[in-house]
Amino acid sequence: MAYSQPQHPRLSVLSNSSASSVDHLSPTGSATRFSLPPTVPTSPRPAGVRPNIYDRNITKPRVLDVSGAAFSFMFAEIVSYTQKRVAGINDLERRLNTLGYRVGMRVLELMTWRAEYTSKAPKREIRLLPALMSIQTQVWRAVFGKPADGIQKSVENADEYMIIDNDPSIERHISVPKDMKQLSCSSFTAGIVEAVLDGLGFPARVTAHNTPSAEHPTKTTILIKLEKSVLDREEIIKQ
Amino acid sequence: MTGEGTKAASAITVLPPTIIMAIYGLWVINKAGGLVYQRSFADGLAQLTSNEYLVLAGTLHGIHAITSRLSPMGSSSGAQVIEGESFKMTILLTPTGTKFVLLTSPAETSAEATLQKVYEVYADDVMKNPFHTPEMPIRSERFDSRIGILIGNGLTTV
């Protein structure tokens, strides 16, 4: 042997690393694996330090807005990160939709909590049209700070509805290159809508489409295609 | 007496061209000295080929590097304005090393303010665009159109 390693009776050649990984698996090391907040006893905070996001009031947040620039940079990074890992535009839109879905689940939960936590008889939307209206107004206001610009029912298909945003704020700084013209980064928003509809019990497939007009070059349509079961149930409730 | 009179007359004939307020062109040079954006506005300077623009931008990058080391005391920001008889070149160096260069007429007073606004548009529509590759030529439609709105035909009102 050209180089001999000092042989420890219990450890093989590779076990230097496995010895340390034993520490990793011990329960005491779980904080590093699950990124739990450090369990240091809370001492009075030094002045000027803002409270941790988990310590803030969930029902009445003092600061409702996040920095638009910070969000734009993050969203740009999300899009370019995703773009490097997909085969085509459809795949990219699908992944953005999935990411939006994760946001939408939380948006619905938080929004419902904030709206109903004081109510003696908390309610949720069970009819389709009020649910869609609340997405157009409440969800858009919670996420983008303004209601969507319109909601329409498809003329051709009874199971299709459209939410229209004349200037989607998540796309405000994005210029899609010419060879990807059909890509709509609002697929992320579509994911949010899909999650909210799913959470309310209206399973649907939601996609985003660019529908530019003369005065609104970034106009986007969020197309909602409801599952048949939803329409069948609506019919039953109506009777 | 007559000598002074002719001098005054000639001064009047010379004056109009010198008070022209115009923006001729805008360059954006990346931190390596490559020209990533070039656009012409008002007429007044010779039109060059894209290759000549690239060479000039690279040269300016080198000159700027030299001027930033010329200060006898401490560090220097480098050249900020280069002025000639028929043009003025105003340079804005950002903390990341990107340079914005505005070519104007010598009498133009809004160059610094315009460059700040160009920097703002760049930060918004180039840096926040996921389809832009850093240090590569800028091909953002939105950047183009907003620069167009900002500078227009390059003729600024007094």
Side-chain angles (χ1 to χ4, degrees):
Chain A
M1 255 200 209
Y3 50 89
S4 68
Q5 285 202 325
Q7 290 285 317
H8 191 278
R10 278 169 55 212
L11 304 175
S12 72
V13 182
L14 291 169
S15 58
N16 273 343
S17 57
S18 63
S20 60
S21 75
V22 170
D23 290 348
H24 254 289
L25 293 171
S26 70
T28 49
S30 62
T32 56
R33 284 193 295 143
F34 298 116
S35 67
L36 296 171
T39 51
V40 180
T42 45
S43 54
R45 229 181 290 281
V49 176
R50 284 173 58 185
N52 184 314
I53 189 165
Y54 298 111
D55 297 340
R56 286 194 214 147
N57 190 339
I58 195 168
T59 49
K60 287 200 185 75
R62 219 174 297 157
V63 186
L64 272 167
D65 298 336
V66 297
S67 154
F71 176 79
S72 299
F73 276 120
M74 192 173 80
F75 189 66
E77 209 47 53
I78 288 172
V79 174
S80 61
Y81 175 94
T82 313
Q83 204 202 349
K84 281 180 203 135
R85 285 159 179 80
V86 295
I89 291 168
N90 287 337
D91 208 14
L92 176 56
E93 287 195 333
R94 197 180 47 75
R95 288 223 195 178
L96 287 175
N97 185 300
T98 312
L99 287 167
Y101 194 97
R102 296 163 55 117
V103 173
M105 287 190 308
R106 291 159 173 85
V107 166
L108 176 65
E109 191 181 351
L110 191 60
M111 224 182 58
T112 318
W113 167 255
R114 283 188 182 155
E116 306 286 343
Y117 81 109
T118 48
S119 164
K120 287 223 172 59
K123 64 175 179 63
R124 70 161 190 163
E125 301 297 349
I126 55 165
R127 298 297 302 272
L128 179 61
L129 285 178
L132 288 174
M133 291 305 286
S134 89
I135 289 176
Q136 186 217 341
T137 53
Q138 257 89 288
V139 172
W140 243 256
R141 204 169 279 144
V143 180
F144 304 116
K146 58 158 181 118
D149 295 294
I151 187 160
Q152 288 173 4
K153 190 179 189 307
S154 166
V155 194
E156 295 113 49
N157 304 312
D159 60 347
E160 286 184 357
Y161 288 83
M162 290 166 283
I163 297 176
I164 289 144
D165 198 327
N166 286 338
D167 182 20
S169 46
I170 65 165
E171 287 190 59
R172 190 153 295 160
H173 302 300
I174 294 178
S175 307
V176 177
K178 282 205 172 62
D179 55 330
M180 301 174 78
K181 259 289 170 265
Q182 65 270 50
L183 169 72
S184 174
C185 293
S186 284
S187 297
F188 187 79
T189 314
I192 296 178
V193 173
E194 192 167 327
V196 171
L197 280 172
D198 261 5
L200 288 170
F202 300 93
R205 213 161 48 82
V206 186
T207 48
H209 304 274
N210 296 322
T211 47
S213 66
E215 71 259 53
H216 302 293
T218 58
K219 186 168 159 187
T220 297
T221 302
I222 308 286
L223 180 68
I224 301 167
K225 193 170 178 62
L226 293 156
E227 259 179 32
K228 196 169 170 297
S229 63
V230 176
L231 295 172
D232 293 348
R233 190 182 59 205
E234 278 294 305
E235 278 303 311
I236 295 167
I237 302 176
K238 222 181 264 175
Q239 285 158 13
Chain B
M1 271 303 224
T2 47
E4 262 176 44
T6 49
K7 207 187 248 175
S10 69
I12 288 161
T13 50
V14 170
L15 257 176
T18 58
I19 56 158
I20 287 173
M21 302 271 278
I23 296 172
Y24 299 131
L26 169 72
W27 301 353
V28 181
I29 303 174
N30 70 12
K31 65 179 176 219
L35 187 67
V36 291
Y37 188 80
Q38 184 277 323
R39 185 161 162 186
S40 301
F41 302 97
D43 297 326
L45 294 181
Q47 292 298 307
L48 307 172
T49 65
S50 51
N51 227 355
E52 286 169 315
Y53 277 118
L54 280 174
V55 172
L56 278 181
T59 312
L60 179 67
H61 184 71
I63 291 170
H64 195 274
I66 294 168
T67 56
S68 65
R69 288 159 181 269
L70 281 179
S71 168
M73 30 201 284
S75 60
S76 158
S77 62
Q80 288 174 338
V81 180
I82 297 174
E83 228 176 319
E85 202 171 307
S86 58
F87 75 95
K88 186 171 81 168
M89 184 182 243
T90 313
I91 304 163
L92 174 74
L93 177 71
T94 70
T96 51
T98 306
K99 275 190 277 296
F100 295 90
V101 182
L102 201 67
L103 294 159
T104 60
S105 60
E108 178 64 49
T109 50
S110 69
E112 274 89 4
T114 307
L115 277 176
Q116 275 300 333
K117 286 185 193 138
V118 169
Y119 186 19
E120 225 170 89
V121 174
Y122 174 85
D124 268 356
D125 290 322
V126 178
M127 296 317 290
K128 291 174 192 164
N129 182 11
F131 301 101
H132 171 71
T133 320
E135 312 302 322
M136 291 306 276
I138 297 166
R139 302 196 192 289
S140 159
E141 262 176 51
R142 204 178 273 254
F143 179 73
D144 237 7
S145 72
R146 276 185 70 189
I147 292 294
I149 293 164
L150 179 66
I151 301 179
N153 60 4
L155 299 172
T156 48
T157 46
V158 182

